[in-house]
Amino acid sequence: MAVILIVEDDGFLRDDAETMIQDLGHDILSASDVDEALLLLRSPRRIDALFTDIYLKRAVLGGYEIADQAIKLRLNLPVLYTTGTTIDDKMKTMFVDGAHFLQKPYTRFQLQNSVEILLAPLALSPAQLIR
């Protein structure tokens, strides 16, 4: 079981993602904007992965900014980006290294598959086994 931070400014989509991820057996933390997400990332709370919308209201870089700060605060934190808009190769250059992407709208199966891929390296980490 992992703790996944979900950052989504649309309450309906955030609730839906929370439910789906909890149904997969994971714990969640959630934030509706950059400030809430950074507050959680700076806290001592356990966070094993980040699932963030790329475009957040009232944020210039939104999910890009959150992911960039997240990997500075928590080294090797797995990141899964999502958005409902089409992204091009130029936009992908803004992804943090090793990040994954899930296009909205996504199905429960697509989210499950993406989360499994995202968390796979953690299953091999001795630090995770000790927790």
Side-chain angles (χ1 to χ4, degrees):
M1 175 171 39
V3 178
I4 300 174
L5 172 57
I6 300 169
V7 186
E8 172 62 64
D9 56 1
D10 182 305
F12 175 77
L13 294 176
R14 186 175 55 252
D15 290 346
D16 198 36
E18 289 173 6
T19 300
M20 284 192 259
I21 289 174
Q22 286 174 323
D23 287 349
L24 296 174
H26 302 293
D27 288 333
I28 55 99
L29 296 172
S30 64
S32 62
D33 60 32
V34 173
D35 292 335
E36 285 181 26
L38 292 177
L39 189 63
L40 287 167
L41 287 162
R42 290 181 180 125
S43 78
R45 298 187 75 166
R46 177 179 162 194
I47 300 172
D48 298 310
L50 172 65
F51 178 39
T52 184
D53 191 1
I54 292 175
Y55 298 107
L56 301 166
K57 295 176 189 131
R58 300 180 305 277
V60 176
L61 294 177
Y64 292 122
E65 178 183 352
I66 293 166
D68 185 56
Q69 290 298 313
I71 62 167
K72 289 176 183 171
L73 294 166
R74 297 173 182 254
L75 298 178
N76 301 317
L77 186 71
V79 175
L80 175 61
Y81 294 103
T82 188
T83 188
T85 61
T86 303
I87 61 167
D88 58 26
D89 289 336
K90 182 178 179 184
M91 294 169 68
K92 288 181 183 179
T93 65
M94 294 180 65
F95 285 11
V96 295
D97 287 341
H100 300 273
F101 176 73
L102 178 61
Q103 182 72 48
K104 291 180 190 175
Y106 48 80
T107 65
R108 181 178 302 271
F109 176 76
Q110 289 168 321
L111 179 60
Q112 178 180 353
N113 188 48
S114 292
V115 167
E116 287 174 1
I117 291 167
L118 185 71
L119 297 176
L122 296 180
L124 304 175
S125 167
Q128 288 293 328
L129 297 175
I130 294 171
R131 285 186 184 175

